[in-house]
């Protein structure tokens, strides 16, 4: 294979010389020869790459292990839950803000905690959350006190 590659490289050098001749002598017929030699060199280089590759090692590196797939699935589920919680908290903030209430929204073990800035907004917030949250559990607090 090395001899064939060296021969192809030699032909490439010769075709380069022929290309230089073509620049100074445009009416020659070297173009098909140059293209054929370059194609031959590309094919031999490709054959050497394919032949010299350790396919079993490459496949082992690319194949995911069974343990990493389970961990990845758990990470994906945790990330999905985080995104869902962030979107829900932002939706609650938007509903309260659209009604003119300042509030912080956070996730708890049992549902959502809505902390209102002004105590006077509690009745409106309860009515608004009852109408918009459905079965989602929530608790309302004022400045940290339930």
């Amino acid at each position: 294979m090395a001899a064939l590659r060296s021969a192809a490289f030699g032909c490439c050098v010769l075709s380069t010389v022929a290309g230089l001749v073509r620049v100074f002598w445009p009416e020659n017929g070297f173009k098909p020869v140059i293209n054929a030699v370059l194609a031959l060199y590309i094919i031999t280089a490709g054959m050497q790459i394919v032949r010299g590759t350790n396919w079993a090692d490459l496949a082992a590196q690319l194949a995911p292990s069974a343990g990493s797939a389970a961990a990845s699935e758990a990470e994906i589920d945790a990330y999905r839950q985080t995104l869902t919680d962030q979107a829900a908290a932002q939706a609650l903030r938007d509903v309260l803000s659209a009604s003119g209430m300042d509030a912080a929204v956070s996730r708890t073990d049992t549902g959502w905690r809505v902390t209102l800035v002004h105590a006077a907004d509690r009745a409106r917030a309860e009515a608004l959350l009852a109408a918009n949250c459905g079965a989602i559990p929530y608790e309302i607090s004022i400045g940290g006190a339930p």
Side-chain angles (χ1 to χ4, degrees):
M1 183 62 97
L4 183 60
R5 192 170 122 189
S6 296
F9 181 70
C11 290
C12 285
V13 170
L14 290 175
S15 66
T16 303
V17 171
L20 289 173
V21 169
R22 192 171 139 210
V23 168
F24 296 108
W25 183 25
E27 297 87 27
N28 64 35
F30 290 120
K31 184 176 180 181
V33 174
I34 294 170
N35 289 340
V37 171
L38 288 174
L40 177 65
Y41 185 71
I42 291 169
I43 289 170
T44 56
M47 285 174 44
Q48 184 174 6
I49 291 170
V50 169
R51 186 171 173 223
T53 303
N54 184 354
W55 294 105
D57 186 41
L58 182 64
Q61 288 177 359
L62 294 177
S65 65
S68 67
S72 296
E73 197 63 38
E75 291 172 357
I76 289 171
D77 288 341
Y79 183 65
R80 184 180 297 131
Q81 185 62 42
T82 300
L83 289 179
T84 302
D85 289 348
Q86 289 174 354
Q90 186 60 44
L92 283 173
R93 279 188 221 99
D94 291 345
V95 165
L96 293 167
S97 177
S99 296
M101 292 179 261
D102 295 325
V105 179
S106 60
R107 181 84 168 136
T108 64
D109 292 339
T110 59
W112 293 98
R113 173 176 288 141
V114 178
T115 306
L116 298 172
V117 174
H118 306 290
D121 292 336
R122 185 178 187 101
R124 285 188 341 175
E126 285 177 354
L128 191 64
L129 292 174
N132 288 293
C133 288
I136 299 172
Y138 62 89
E139 63 182 60
I140 298 175
S141 62
I142 311 299

